[in-house]
């Protein structure tokens, strides 16, 4: 698992303080899901889910893979990248360390493309 730079602690804590953001991360930890599937699973408005997806993707906590269905339509699936979050109190304030799951995004996209071509 690789450790990367974290967004500012205040932004990260505010984002993870949101129940929908946490629920999206939990739901997408094991397998990717579409925004529509997330909205249904969380009993949330699609606009709420899309807003949280944007926030989580921007923070680097969620990845997006584009897939193609049998009719050639494209759609996005989302998967949690966040694995571990560490918070440390220092003399200057708080510091965050974020660990992402060991997933090579290029390999995941190639796998998704290959699966779609079959």
């Amino acid at each position: 698992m690789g450790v990367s730079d974290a967004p500012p602690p205040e932004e990260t804590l505010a984002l993870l303080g949101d129940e929908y953001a946490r629920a999206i991360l939990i739901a997408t930890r094991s397998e990717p899901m579409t925004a529509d599937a997330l909205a249904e699973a969380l009993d949330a408005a699609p606009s709420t889910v899309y807003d949280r997806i944007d926030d989580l993707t921007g923070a680097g906590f969620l990845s997006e893979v584009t897939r193609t269905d049998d009719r050639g339509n494209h759609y996005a699936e989302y998967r949690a990248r966040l694995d571990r979050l560490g918070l440390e109190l220092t003399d200057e304030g708080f510091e965050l360390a974020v660990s992402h799951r060991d997933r090579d995004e290029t390999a995941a996209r190639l796998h998704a493309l290959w699966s779609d071509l079959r």
Side-chain angles (χ1 to χ4, degrees):
M1 112 187 72
V3 177
S4 71
D5 292 328
E10 299 80 17
E11 290 177 24
T12 300
L13 294 173
L15 176 58
L16 296 178
D18 180 84
E19 68 178 294
Y20 293 109
R22 290 191 313 271
I24 289 168
L25 288 172
I26 292 166
T28 59
R29 186 178 189 286
S30 299
E31 61 184 275
M33 295 179 74
T34 65
D36 289 340
L38 284 164
E40 185 176 323
L42 303 178
D43 193 27
S47 60
T48 299
V49 170
Y50 278 109
D51 286 345
R52 296 321 178 279
I53 284 172
D54 287 344
D55 295 341
L56 291 165
T57 303
F61 297 161
L62 200 65
S63 64
E64 176 182 341
V65 175
T66 302
R67 301 217 184 248
T68 307
D69 66 17
D70 295 338
R71 293 177 280 174
N73 298 318
H74 294 84
Y75 63 97
E77 285 187 331
Y78 302 92
R79 181 183 285 266
R81 292 188 65 227
L82 179 64
D83 187 46
R84 187 172 305 183
L85 182 70
L87 179 66
E88 181 179 353
L89 176 61
T90 68
D91 290 339
E92 290 80 34
F94 291 98
E95 289 183 13
L96 285 179
V98 177
S99 296
H100 295 284
R101 300 169 118 200
D102 281 336
R103 285 206 173 85
D104 180 0
E105 291 300 315
T106 303
R109 287 185 177 149
L110 286 173
H111 177 73
L113 177 63
W114 177 253
S115 297
D116 290 341
L117 291 175
R118 288 189 196 175

